[in-house]
Amino acid sequence: MAPQTSPIVQVQGLTKTYSGGFTALDNLDFDAREGEILALLGPNGAGKTTLISTICGITRPTSGSVTVGGYDIRRDFRRARSMIGLVPQELVVEPFTKVKDTVAFSRGMFGKAPDPAHVEKVLKQLSLWDKRDNQVRELSGGMKRRVLIAKALAHEPRVLFLDEPTAGVDVELRKGMWDVVRELREQGVTVILTTHYIEEAEEMADRISVISAGRILLTEDKAALMRRMGHKELRIELSEPIAALPPALEGRGIELSEDGHSLIYSYDSSAERTGITRLLSALAEAGLVMSDLSTHQSSLEEIFVSLVHGPDDDNEREAAQ
Amino acid sequence: MNLQAVLTIYKAEMRRFFRTYQQSLIAPVISTSLYFVVFGTAIGGRIDQVEGVPYGAFIVPGLIMLSVMTQSIQNGSVGIYFPKFQGTIYEILSAPVTFIEVVAGYVGAAATKALAIGTIILITATFFVDFQILHPISMVAFLLMTCVCFALLGFIIGIWAQNFDQLSMIPVLVITPLVFLGGSFYSANMLPPFWEGVTRLNPVFYLISGFRWSFFGYADVPVGVSLIAIAIFTAVCLSVIWWIFRSGWRLRD
Ligand SMILES: Nc1ncnc2c1ncn2[C@@H]1O[C@H](COP(=O)(O)OP(=O)(O)OP(=O)(O)O)[C@@H](O)[C@H]1O
Ligand SMILES: [Mg+2]
């Protein structure tokens, strides 16, 4: 059994129907590879939290199988759960407990002997060491969020679920949190995170899973996804506006902007031949003088929106916002 | 068995108790003192003795039981209700533990607190009346068993309750009447035959009878019957909790 090929989290045919009859996960397949950062993206109500809760044992699966580190979450629940750390989406804390006590509590619940040195390390990593003797209710929202992360790390999990870890955390600390996550990956921890800040996924993730209506639409290497889905646009600013496209440039996928000041060329950045060289020489032949050049690549956010809503749906979504 | 988790829950619960120990201890001491003043003095002036025991002393076991049962239920229910209410229960549900560890931690702590309060009330009682304890070991055993089985009942109530009203309803609506009608302040054979029969349907009656026997050597029912009653009561509570965790009732969606 090669560790690279067997996923550390494997979800097969998972269905979750809540008691009210709503099916939040619909025969879903999902896996995470050891040591990767995987971003789980999906609109509100897609089933991200339900999926995480089911893997962690908080929600009961209706059918399907889940293994963590090869252990079935029901038959071998002790071993499976021992590997998992969970940062829930909601800010749920024990208000009257001291920060260091609540972190130590989490460690104990997972059967590990007290280790003040480890607790100290985690608290320092999350810039909470100064607050260790404060009651949790005395902390700000962003600090509480970090307490939840510290609690999840208290028992040295091998798989960490972060359900919107950076919601309500300021920019600077968010960057700090990304560093923590990267550090964890370097230690071999698998991190599965959800976020509505797509640029966060773009920045951090090795792979992206897109979930919608209880199904995984795709799971793909982030770079490959962006390459595959990403269209690049070359924008050529002309020193003199023109009234119409010169005949030599027609039929090459070039458009003239309305004011006649710029040419826009869309191409696939992953293609062998982008056609840029030929385009530029044709431009020179037509006697057009360029004043500026710029390129634009679609962001993960645009890719995500077009995946979840279909490419024609963009306007609708914008209107709804 | 995840003993570390048991210990962790137990310690966290005891810490919570010590944060508020003034309220936890003073309230029962004051209410017990009031009972002694009202029942012991006012009524005791009219009822001389019950089964050869001075009335003031006769009510001591019942008073201790009243507090211990109420406290066990309260502590047992609040202990698990709060994580549920705050949402911090996610941590217990996702930890590598079975219901046995969770129950041992919460119920153990709840029973410990109730036991401490029972002891303090016993000490308080010595300021008001003279009494002896004929069978101290069985007294402690009865006290302990009562603490545990009522903390188990409290644990069930804590999981069942969906708001604070429900949480406080059962102790007031069910336990207080059961204790009052369970022979805390009288002997069952002082009642007319019909009510004596009704009393025998009350599980608390058996606990108080056994507990009182440890003090005075006098019991309404044989001590063995009291023990069996406690065993049945505990087994029923444990089975209900086992079922709750198995089915996820009010714990897991
Ligand atoms: N306890 C529950 N009982 C019934 N339905 C639920 C429950 N929890 C979630 N759902 C439903 O399941 C669906 C998925 O919810 P879930 O919380 O998993 O979404 P999510 O992807 O995490 O969304 P968000 O981005 O808003 O956090 C939603 O339609 C939600 O209403
Ligand atoms: Mg969610």
Side-chain angles (χ1 to χ4, degrees), chain A residues 41-177:
Chain A
L41 304 182
N44 288 139
K48 302 180 294 293
T49 301
T50 304
L51 174 60
I52 292 175
S53 301
T54 309
I55 297 172
C56 295
I58 294 167
T59 299
R60 297 147 53 83
T62 305
S63 62
S65 85
V66 179
T67 62
V68 178
Y71 300 116
D72 185 275
I73 57 156
R74 277 180 288 194
R75 268 198 316 278
D76 256 331
F77 74 95
R78 276 193 207 267
R79 274 189 276 202
R81 289 186 196 170
S82 297
M83 301 177 69
I84 301 175
L86 167 64
V87 178
Q89 178 172 8
E90 308 286 335
L91 266 186
V92 287
V93 289
E94 286 267 359
F96 298 105
T97 310
K98 283 184 186 175
V99 169
K100 65 171 188 222
D101 290 340
T102 195
V103 174
F105 179 87
S106 305
R107 186 176 171 87
M109 281 308 293
F110 279 76
K112 293 223 165 178
D115 182 353
H118 179 71
V119 171
E120 178 176 342
K121 191 187 107 190
V122 169
L123 287 178
K124 283 185 171 160
Q125 215 175 10
L126 290 159
S127 322
L128 284 169
W129 183 239
D130 293 343
K131 298 283 179 189
R132 62 189 178 278
D133 288 317
N134 285 77
Q135 290 189 348
V136 175
R137 71 192 167 95
E138 298 164 349
L139 303 187
S140 77
M143 291 174 189
K144 285 183 188 142
R145 174 83 52 198
R146 280 179 279 142
V147 168
L148 290 182
I149 299 179
K151 281 166 76 69
L153 294 177
H155 69 278
E156 301 159 74
R158 282 184 57 202
V159 182
L160 181 65
F161 288 94
L162 299 167
D163 201 351
E164 296 197 33
T166 51
V169 175
D170 70 40
V171 180
E172 197 180 329
L173 282 168
R174 193 180 299 169
K175 300 250 150 83
M177 230 176 245

Side-chain angles (χ1 to χ4, degrees), chain A residues 16 57 78 81 106 151, chain B residues 2 91 95 101 246 252-253:
Chain A
K16 171 64 192 180
R78 276 193 207 267
R81 289 186 196 170
S106 305
K151 281 166 76 69
Chain B
N2 186 344
E91 208 167 10
E101 286 116 343
R246 210 187 125 83
R252 289 187 164 95
D253 286 316

Side-chain angles (χ1 to χ4, degrees), chain B residues 104-182:
Chain B
Y106 280 108
V107 168
T112 307
K113 295 174 209 173
L115 192 65
I117 286 163
T119 310
I120 285 169
I121 289 172
L122 183 64
I123 294 167
T124 310
T126 60
F127 292 108
F128 290 91
V129 283
D130 286 326
F131 59 90
Q132 280 180 326
I133 301 170
L134 281 182
H135 311 286
I137 294 177
S138 82
M139 190 276 287
V140 172
F142 265 108
L143 199 56
L144 203 63
M145 288 185 290
T146 306
C147 289
V148 170
C149 71
F150 278 77
L152 285 171
L153 180 62
F155 189 85
I156 296 171
I157 292 168
I159 291 176
W160 164 78
Q162 286 172 315
N163 54 53
F164 280 97
D165 292 334
Q166 291 183 339
L167 195 65
S168 52
M169 200 170 78
I170 298 286
V172 176
L173 281 186
V174 180
I175 300 308
T176 310
L178 283 184
V179 174
F180 271 82
L181 302 176

Side-chain angles (χ1 to χ4, degrees), chain A:
Chain A
M1 193 173 82
Q4 282 89 345
T5 55
S6 65
I8 189 148
V9 177
Q10 186 159 39
V11 175
Q12 281 171 327
L14 184 63
T15 295
K16 171 64 192 180
T17 304
Y18 281 109
S19 50
F22 182 81
T23 299
L25 300 178
D26 183 9
N27 195 18
L28 175 148
D29 296 316
F30 168 84
D31 60 48
R33 296 176 190 150
E34 176 134 38
E36 75 174 346
I37 298 177
L38 188 139
L40 193 56
L41 304 182
N44 288 139
K48 302 180 294 293
T49 301
T50 304
L51 174 60
I52 292 175
S53 301
T54 309
I55 297 172
C56 295
I58 294 167
T59 299
R60 297 147 53 83
T62 305
S63 62
S65 85
V66 179
T67 62
V68 178
Y71 300 116
D72 185 275
I73 57 156
R74 277 180 288 194
R75 268 198 316 278
D76 256 331
F77 74 95
R78 276 193 207 267
R79 274 189 276 202
R81 289 186 196 170
S82 297
M83 301 177 69
I84 301 175
L86 167 64
V87 178
Q89 178 172 8
E90 308 286 335
L91 266 186
V92 287
V93 289
E94 286 267 359
F96 298 105
T97 310
K98 283 184 186 175
V99 169
K100 65 171 188 222
D101 290 340
T102 195
V103 174
F105 179 87
S106 305
R107 186 176 171 87
M109 281 308 293
F110 279 76
K112 293 223 165 178
D115 182 353
H118 179 71
V119 171
E120 178 176 342
K121 191 187 107 190
V122 169
L123 287 178
K124 283 185 171 160
Q125 215 175 10
L126 290 159
S127 322
L128 284 169
W129 183 239
D130 293 343
K131 298 283 179 189
R132 62 189 178 278
D133 288 317
N134 285 77
Q135 290 189 348
V136 175
R137 71 192 167 95
E138 298 164 349
L139 303 187
S140 77
M143 291 174 189
K144 285 183 188 142
R145 174 83 52 198
R146 280 179 279 142
V147 168
L148 290 182
I149 299 179
K151 281 166 76 69
L153 294 177
H155 69 278
E156 301 159 74
R158 282 184 57 202
V159 182
L160 181 65
F161 288 94
L162 299 167
D163 201 351
E164 296 197 33
T166 51
V169 175
D170 70 40
V171 180
E172 197 180 329
L173 282 168
R174 193 180 299 169
K175 300 250 150 83
M177 230 176 245
W178 296 354
D179 291 338
V180 173
V181 169
R182 287 199 191 92
E183 217 172 288
L184 287 168
R185 179 183 51 187
E186 257 142 56
Q187 293 160 16
V189 177
T190 308
V191 180
I192 296 158
L193 59 88
T194 76
T195 178
H196 289 291
Y197 303 112
I198 309 266
E199 68 282 8
E200 191 160 83
E202 200 169 334
E203 166 92 24
M204 303 261 294
D206 299 311
R207 286 200 307 157
I208 309 266
S209 264
V210 178
I211 180 172
S212 179
R215 287 168 164 276
I216 298 282
L217 297 183
L218 69 85
T219 301
E220 204 167 319
D221 193 69
K222 178 189 66 188
L225 177 67
M226 298 200 47
R227 239 182 288 123
R228 188 164 69 80
M229 307 287 292
H231 277 279
K232 254 188 163 172
E233 241 175 45
L234 175 68
R235 202 177 170 92
I236 301 164
E237 304 293 336
L238 302 171
S239 51
E240 297 291 329
I242 53 175
L245 213 55
L249 294 179
E250 271 173 18
R252 294 173 184 253
I254 302 173
E255 278 172 54
L256 181 65
S257 68
E258 264 173 39
D259 61 2
H261 259 295
S262 41
L263 298 172
I264 297 142
Y265 175 55
S266 297
Y267 63 100
D268 181 353
S269 60
S270 63
E272 291 240 325
R273 304 181 69 96
T274 58
I276 293 177
T277 321
R278 270 184 299 150
L279 171 73
L280 291 181
S281 48
L283 223 61
E285 277 164 28
L288 296 176
V289 183
M290 301 181 283
S291 65
D292 201 3
L293 273 180
S294 63
T295 61
H296 167 78
Q297 177 157 27
S298 29
S299 67
L300 188 57
E301 181 147 358
E302 289 161 339
I303 297 172
F304 169 72
V305 169
S306 77
L307 258 178
V308 171
H309 295 270
D312 305 325
D313 225 26
D314 292 11
N315 301 333
E316 227 173 87
R317 185 181 162 85
E318 265 156 33
Q321 272 174 351

